[in-house]
Structure formats: C-alpha cells, structure tokens
Amino acid sequence: MKASPLQKSVQQPTITGADRGPRPAGVPALKLETLQDTEEEHFPITPKDAAIKVVPGDLTAMSWGSTQSKQMKDAIKNQVSAVDNGESLQLSYRVQTQRSPLSRHKPNLDSSHFTCKITAQHNYSQSNTVRPNSKMRDAEELTEDRKLQAVIEQVMVDQLSRAVISDPEQNAVSVSPTSVPPRYRRTLHHTKVKTRMSLTENILSNKLCFQARILSRCGREACRKLIGFFFTCDQTLTVYEYRNFGKNRWNALPFITRGVYLNRGRPYCLQDISQGAELRFCADGPHLPQSLRHQPCLTLRVTDVDDTAKGALLTQSGETLHRLSEEEIDDRNTLKEIQGAVRDRLKGHAVQTLINLGRDLQNLHLKSDSMQQKELLGRSLMKQLCLTQQDFEAVWRIVSRCAEGRVHPADVMRAVTGEMRENRKAIFLKVYVKLDPNKTGSIFLSDIEKFYRGKQESDAALEANPNPDILAFVREAGKVTKTVSYAEFEDYYEGLNLEIPDDEEYINNLRATWSI
C-alpha cells in the first residue's frame, strides 16, 4: 500500500540531514519544532500536573483530515479548557486569599475547633466583664487617695494660717487694763515672739490620719465622708468632712474643731484610735449641722486607720500601753455574751425581726419622755428577741455609762443585736449612695427596681422563706410613699448580715445584686 503525500509529509521530519544532502550556504536552517498550527497559537502553558500526554507514534500514524483527528483535536481543546478553568479557580482563590488575611489558614471543620473557639470567646467576654470592674476599683482607690491628700493639705493650711501675733494667748500679757484703752492694751513690746500654742509644719507632721462615719439612722448623716487627725504633740484631734459642691467642686470643711476631748473622764490617746472604735463628742459643736445638735451625743465609728503610721508614732512618743479597767472588760464580755445568744435565736428569721424592731424604734421618736422611751424599747426587745429584763437593764446601764448618761434608743438596739463589720458596711454604703446619689435619706422605689440585678423568686418560694425578698420588702415598705428610708434599707441588710456569717459571701451578694 502506497503512503499518501500527507503521511509522507508527516514522516518527512524523520529524514536526517545526511539523506537530503548538504544545505546551500545562503539558505537558512529550517527549524520544524518551532512551527505550530494557527488554531493552537493561544494555548496556555499548562502546569506539570495537568500536562497533556501525547504519544509521538500516534501522531505519525494519524491523518489530520480524518474523523480521528477531529476527535483528538476536540479532546485536546477540552483538556485545555479544563486547565484554563483550573487556573482561573486558582487565580480567584489567590485573589480572595490576598484580600482576606483571615482566610490564609484552612478552616478546621472539626467540632473540637468550634468548642475551643466558643470557649475562647466566652473567656474573652468574661475577661472583658471583669477587667472594667478592676479598673473601676483602681479608679475609686485613686480618687480616695486624692481626697485624703486634699484634706491633709487643707488641715495643714488651716492650722498654720493663724499667725503668732494674732494668737489669743497674746492677750494674756501682764498689762494693767486701766492704764490704756481696750484697743491699745497690747503693743509690740508686749507681744511674744512664740506662744505656747504656736505650731510649725514639723510639729504638725506627727499626726495619725483615720477615717470615720457617723452612727445614725439618717441617710444624710450616715453617708458623710469624715477624715480625722490625731496630733501627738498635744494629744488633740480634729475631724474634717469632704464635701462635693456640684460635679467638679469640692472642699474640706472642719466638722469637729481641734481640741482635747475626754473619754470616760480621760483625754483620748493614740491607742483609742483603732478600727471599730467609737469616739463620742458633745453635739453642740460650732460646725455640726442642725440635724445632729438635737441628739444626746455625736458618736463616730472609726472605719480605717493607718496602722503603720500608728506603730511608728507609738514608738516615737513612747506612749505606754493603756489597759482596760475591770469594769470595761466586764462590760465588753457582757455585751458579747448577750449578742451571741440573740444571734442564735434569730437564725432563720433575722431579717423580718430586725425590720419589725426598726419600725418600733421609729415610733419611739414620737415620745419625748426618756423614761417612756426606755419602757417601750424594753417591751419591744423582750417581745421580738426574747430578751430578759435583766439583760435589758444590763445593756442600758452599759450604754448609759459609755455615753455619760445621754442614751439614744438606737444605741441600745445596736448594742443588743450587734452591727455588721466595717468591710461589709463599706460595700453597703456604696450600694446606698448608688441608689441615693443626692443623699436625701430615702430611695425611690423606681430606682431600686431599676438597679436591681438579683434573681426574681417565685411566690411559692417567697411564702416558704420566713425572710422576705428585698424587692418584696421594699414594695411593701414603699407602697404608700413610693420611697424607702435609709433606716429601713439598713435594717434589711443588718438582718441579712446575721444570716450570712461569711464576709466574702455577703459582699459578693451585695455586688451581684446591685452591680457594684
């Protein structure tokens, strides 16, 4: 069978240059491998993985005009289009990965990945919720430090502003009152260079700073921020009040003037200033508000003391340790024993009992006779707390001795039931100031419902619990006036204080309920 001319042309590249003969010098060399068909000019360069495998023997035995050649050409075009599509997909994937940095890593579709991701997001959200609280507390501590420094500076300015020439002691010179007119009694020659009471900054630096609060059932008085100073140079003390006037104005005003004050017939000493101690003063001071002057006496509770500075001052002054008398020791032991017995009897219904006692105490203010107040208070305590007449008389005698005969019924009730510790009281006062920022002495019922974050108990649970829920209590107490007084709010949490012995649990309860 003879070969066709096309087959000969296909087989022609296999002929070597020796069979053709020598190429003339002016004729260029023919490079057949560079020649391509016009239909295949735009073929892309295929990657190695998608390379088209073509057997050379098949091409030599195939005719381009036959049906097989058309099928082969269609197959080659399909493969090339598939390669184009694959490259376009790869190109689009590259573009997407370049646009989205987060998609550079392959997503893990395992369920454990989603669990870890959800846990990480939960931990992150928890860290975000805890972090602002810690920052808020740091900011509060910084604010308190600034307040303390401002009060210290104001105290030093007040005490050092009096010049020696204007000291009242200068008028005590020996000048005959009849020799010169009154306005010319003291001349420059009769003026002392230094008086006995003249002070310097070095002398006033030996002081003990402490913070205190007023023992009162009035919210306006109980929330006052008091900062006191005890000076070891002359055993005097003074108390200042830090007050805000508007949003950005503040001032440190004298609350109790500097002087020597007595405690059971002896002056207050450095050892009397300790956390939890009570300082009593007469209620006729020139700087006291009018609402406090009608009380028998003013009682301050020391809430915080710089123990390091106190120890250094005790060592420097060489003050001997003050020991309690046998009478004071017996009084403390008697009160501790009575309070322990009362707290044991109040377990399970302390909140409701103290609420009832607070209402009875509120009615006693309408009675002006002290003997009648004592009789009604004794009946209420013996009814609500099962207190014996002997224990009531003992408590009344102890409170009367400490207050030098000026007894307030609230002091007697506080001595019987006890009071929450100062770390608990500090958080309670923060809660109250949040609900009553203007310190009016009462809280609107709408504000309590607005800031309350505790759980809502069912009616069945409320009926089974002898102690009322805080929302049920305030709604019942403020159903007429739509307000709740500081005394009522304090009575509730004083009762809760007796029910929860652990400090951390009690403080966490307050923080969680009111978002403090």
Side-chain angles (χ1 to χ4, degrees), residues 36-55:
Q36 290 182 348
D37 193 76
T38 56
E39 296 181 356
E40 299 177 357
E41 286 180 357
H42 303 288
F43 279 8
I45 299 174
T46 60
K48 294 181 179 180
D49 298 336
I52 303 174
K53 297 180 181 180
V54 181
V55 181

Side-chain angles (χ1 to χ4, degrees), residues 264 280 327-328 330-336 338 391-405 407 412 415:
R264 289 191 174 187
R280 291 180 172 84
E327 185 180 40
E328 293 176 342
D330 293 340
D331 292 345
R332 293 191 177 187
N333 293 334
T334 301
L335 288 179
K336 187 181 297 184
I338 294 175
D391 291 340
F392 173 72
E393 292 293 340
V395 173
W396 186 277
R397 183 176 61 255
I398 293 172
V399 174
S400 178
R401 187 183 299 121
C402 294
E404 299 180 356
V407 182
V412 179

Side-chain angles (χ1 to χ4, degrees), residues 199 203-204 206-207 230-236 258:
L199 300 173
I203 295 176
L204 291 179
N206 298 324
K207 61 183 180 300
F230 183 85
F231 299 96
T232 59
C233 59
D234 51 2
Q235 303 296 306
T236 59
R258 180 167 170 262

Side-chain angles (χ1 to χ4, degrees), residues 95-121:
V95 173
Q96 289 179 358
T97 54
Q98 290 176 359
R99 291 178 180 176
S100 169
L102 297 177
S103 60
R104 292 180 180 175
H105 303 283
K106 285 187 176 181
N108 187 5
L109 300 180
D110 189 7
S111 61
S112 62
H113 170 73
F114 290 104
T115 305
C116 297
K117 188 174 181 180
I118 293 172
T119 306
Q121 290 178 353

